[in-house]
């Protein structure tokens, strides 16, 4: 009987005895606003549901990034080298033993171009490297070349491959003078110097002035 009574008390939940296991009462479910402590005033305020973000166009962003990368990596255009004179004749005395040949190339960039010297078709230099010690070259690529005593003409070429080329022809002897073309009919026209004609014109002017003043002098003399 006593065991039955204890079981009834436990089932009803009116008495809790030491050493006897009792089940906790089921608590009523709380709303989300109550669990969050009202308007966010309690600890760990209410959680507001986040809105779904709009779709982002990753393709446009990747295209823009690729365009910016292409602009940043695009190398500046290097101007082409050139010569103002591509064919030059140099006249030297017959017994000259050496001569200095200039190579005035424009827009030359040592990082992108190379300059070559040739004697005829034989390479003489490549950049700063000279293939034969009989030649010498300065920092401006001017080449000093030896001349043979019996030579009558020598040709050298200063070149930036596939860009610019200058040929220098060395000729021995005096430079030919420029001739003035004669007048029509083949005869040369000669004229007297200006300093010779000036005195004659001055004499004629004085004679005319004297001729005009003579009647005036006669009239004055007869009057008085």
């Amino acid at each position: 009987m006593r065991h039955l009574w204890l079981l009834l008390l436990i089932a009803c939940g009116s008495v809790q005895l030491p050493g006897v296991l009792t089940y906790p009462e089921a608590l009523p479910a709380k709303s989300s606003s109550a669990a969050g402590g009202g308007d966010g005033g309690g600890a760990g305020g209410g959680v507001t549901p986040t809105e779904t973000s709009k779709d982002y166009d990753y393709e446009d962003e990747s295209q823009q990034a690729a365009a910016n990368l292409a602009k940043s990596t695009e190398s500046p255009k290097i101007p082409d080298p050139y010569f103002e004179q591509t064919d030059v004749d140099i006249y030297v005395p017959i017994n000259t033993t050496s001569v200095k040949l200039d190579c005035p190339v424009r827009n030359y960039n040592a990082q992108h171009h190379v300059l070559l010297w040739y004697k005829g078709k034989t390479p003489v230099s490549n950049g700063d490297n000279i293939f034969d010690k009989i030649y010498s070259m300065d920092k401006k690529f001017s080449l000093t070349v030896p001349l043979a005593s019996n030579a009558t003409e020598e040709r050298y070429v200063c070149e930036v491959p596939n860009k610019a080329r200058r040929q220098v022809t060395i000729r021995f002897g005096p430079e030919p003078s420029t001739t003035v073309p004669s007048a029509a009919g083949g005869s040369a026209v000669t004229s007297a110097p200006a300093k010779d004609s000036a005195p004659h014109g001055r004499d004629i002017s004085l004679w005319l002035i004297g001729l005009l003043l003579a009647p005036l002098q006669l009239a004055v003399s007869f009057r008085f």
Side-chain angles (χ1 to χ4, degrees), residues 40-194:
V47 179
T48 304
T50 58
E51 296 181 357
T52 305
S53 61
K54 296 181 180 179
D55 294 338
Y56 192 81
D57 196 346
Y58 292 97
E59 184 177 357
D60 291 345
E61 182 183 9
S62 61
Q63 292 177 356
Q64 184 177 2
N68 293 336
L69 181 61
K71 290 181 180 179
S72 61
T73 56
E74 185 179 357
S75 57
K77 184 179 179 181
I78 306 300
D80 290 336
Y82 68 95
F83 292 101
E84 292 183 351
Q85 291 182 324
T86 57
D87 198 349
V88 180
D89 292 340
I90 296 179
Y91 291 86
V92 298
I94 296 177
N95 295 326
T96 304
T97 57
S98 66
V99 65
K100 186 176 183 180
L101 307 179
D102 295 330
C103 185
V105 59
R106 305 287 186 179
N107 294 337
Y108 180 79
N109 190 327
Q111 296 180 354
H112 301 276
H113 307 135
V114 62
L115 194 141
L116 309 176
W117 271 105
Y118 292 90
K119 180 182 180 181
K121 295 183 179 180
T122 305
V124 173
S125 69
N126 184 346
D128 296 330
N129 301 322
I130 298 178
F131 301 139
D132 197 334
K133 293 183 179 180
I134 64 174
Y135 301 98
S136 63
M137 186 169 56
D138 61 15
K139 294 181 179 179
K140 295 183 178 180
F141 299 105
S142 295
L143 186 71
T144 301
V145 302
L147 300 176
S149 58
N150 57 348
T152 57
E153 182 180 288
E154 293 185 3
R155 296 179 186 271
Y156 286 84
V157 173
C158 176
E159 179 184 22
V160 178
N162 302 322
K163 299 293 183 181
R165 186 175 185 270
R166 171 185 168 98
Q167 177 175 282
V168 182
T169 303
I170 304 173
R171 303 183 186 275
F172 294 84
E175 184 175 358
S177 58
T178 350
T179 57
V180 179
S182 60
S187 59
V189 177
T190 58
S191 59

